[in-house]
Structures are given as C-alpha cells and as structure tokens.
Amino acid sequence: MSATLVIRPMEAADMERALDWAAEEGWNPGLEDAAAFRASDPGGFFVGECDGTPVSCISAVRYGEDFGFIGFYICHPDWRGQGLARPLWDRALEHLKGRTIGLDAVLAQEETYRLAGFESDYHTLRHGGLSVATPPMDPRVAVLGQGVMPSVLAYDRPFFATTRDRFLTTWCAPMIAGRRGYVFVEDGTLRGYGVIRRCREGFKIGPLLADTPEIGDTLFQALAGEVRGQMVFLDVPAANEAGLDLAEQYELSPEFETVRMYRGPSPELDLARTYGITTLELG
C-alpha cells in the first residue's frame, strides 16, 4: 500500500529537523541561515508528512515580484523511492508560479532539472580548508553595521536577480551569533562587502562582492582572519578566474561543483565581481 503525503507549511520544529537532514546530506548549513530566507518569504517552506511523520521538505523562496529560488529539497532516506518528493516539488513550483525560478543542482541531477524546464547558466565551485588569513591593517575596511546597510543594499543589486532587501537586512544583522560582516569603503564610496557565518562545520564566507580582485582579497583576509586556523568555505562562480585564484592563494581546495539553473529568463548577474555567493543550501 502506497503512503499518502500531506503537505503543510514548515513550523519551527520542522525547520530544525530539516536542517539536521541537510547536515546529514553533507550540505553543512549555517546555524542561523534560515531566518534570512524566512524574512524574505515566510510562506516559502514546506514539509511533507505520512501519517503524521515528516518525510520530506523543500524551500521555494520569493524575492521581489518576479523571482524565486528552490532549495532544501530533501526526502528522508527511509522514505525514498515511494514518490513522496514529487508532490512537494509541484507545490514549490505552484508557490513560485509566474516567476523566473532559480536553483543550484548537483551535476548528477542537471539533466533531471533540464527535463523539468530548467536551463544551465553557470557553475559554482565550493572551496574549503583551514584559514591561513590574517586580518588586514587597512583603514578602508570596517565592520558592516546597520548604518551602512542602505549602501550595502544598493551595492548588492547587480549581483542578484532582483532586490533582496529583507533577506540581506537579516543576513547581515550584527546581533546574530557567529556572524560577522565587513565593508570596504574608499573616498566615501562602498566598493565591496562580505559576510562570514558559523556553520555545522567551520565557517562559510558569502556573499563576497568586490569591485576589484585586490578589494576581494582584502575583504577575504578580514573575514577569514576572524577564524584563522579554523575551517572556512567559499563558493566561487567558475566564471570568476580571480575568485578561483583567491581560493587557491589561501590554500582552499575545491570540494564539489554545482550548476545554477533557471526556468525562465536568466538574470544578468555581475559574476566578474562575485567572489563568493550567498549559499547553496536554501536559496
């Protein structure tokens, strides 16, 4: 007898369970990442249940008026092979109906998503290793605080498909434990920023956005220097050769690769100044 799936919105306990599942899949989620995605779209998280037992989950987060991102798509191993993931996928697509939809696919699933109407855009390489960076003595680098957030929000717009002000305001919040942001300001103009946050394993840097490779390097030193001697991870678009060189310079090794895919028009993103994307796990 096949199991019957009931789909409902995620609650707080569901989110903690789903984060545990993500960790078991090797995704290494940030400890406080979910709050920022919920700030952007509180209704964009779903869980599937069979007889009251949570068995699958997905996120379908809306940004602005015309973009959405699917992530967090997991069916618990004990329940796989019973068709319990597809209904959740369909619910996510319905939640994002009428929007361009993005996702990050592992290479083995690229063709599966292509058959669902998604087209490949660019690849991202995750790099990881022990931080060997030392914080720079540069007066142009400052802690990312609330006073500079309007400039950060304006600076960020060429790097994402649409505005993501509610997401970033929460993502960059200085009161979140284990999270730190830095900006690079020269002659009164913001020319880059980055955020580092604690994860299940080590720390991830992202976003890391900068006008030049030198500024990207300086910001990386500030961020990774916070946790020198501990594991750091950086997700670099493969199209940004300077970003790949940066990872190599600081002895970070490539660990795995994903491909960014879209259903609908692919947004024009400034990958040449993108040294680290925000995340691969939630959207």
Side-chain angles (χ1 to χ4, degrees), residues 79-205:
W79 294 83
R80 290 174 185 170
Q82 302 181 53
L84 300 176
R86 181 56 187 264
L88 214 57
W89 169 260
D90 292 339
R91 174 65 66 87
L93 292 181
E94 178 63 27
H95 186 70
L96 300 178
K97 186 175 181 179
R99 298 165 178 258
T100 292
I101 303 173
L103 57 81
D104 285 316
V106 295
L107 302 188
Q109 294 298 322
E110 185 175 4
E111 182 60 25
T112 300
Y113 289 119
R114 185 174 288 118
L115 293 173
F118 287 78
E119 294 294 333
S120 303
D121 190 22
Y122 65 90
H123 288 230
T124 300
L125 297 170
R126 171 161 294 171
H127 295 74
L130 293 177
S131 171
V132 296
T134 300
M137 301 297 291
D138 192 323
R140 298 170 296 180
V141 176
V143 173
L144 196 168
Q146 292 302 300
V148 77
M149 273 307 299
S151 295
V152 169
L153 297 177
Y155 185 86
D156 185 78
R157 283 168 192 159
F159 301 95
F160 197 69
T162 186
T163 57
R164 50 176 176 172
D165 292 5
R166 285 185 292 178
F167 170 85
L168 281 179
T169 299
T170 303
W171 189 264
C172 299
M175 69 285 297
I176 298 178
R179 188 170 301 236
R180 186 86 157 180
Y182 284 98
V183 294
F184 188 101
V185 179
E186 189 170 39
D187 297 328
T189 299
L190 191 146
R191 301 193 60 197
Y193 83 95
V195 176
I196 187 169
R197 81 272 193 195
R198 183 182 295 277
C199 299
R200 295 292 180 100
E201 177 191 1
F203 295 79
K204 286 183 189 172
I205 294 173

Side-chain angles (χ1 to χ4, degrees), residues 256-277:
F256 69 84
E257 184 174 357
T258 61
V259 56
R260 175 63 57 86
M261 306 184 74
Y262 295 105
R263 193 167 87 165
S266 297
E268 295 184 7
L269 306 179
D270 191 345
L271 298 180
R273 294 189 294 153
T274 302
Y275 295 84
I277 67 170

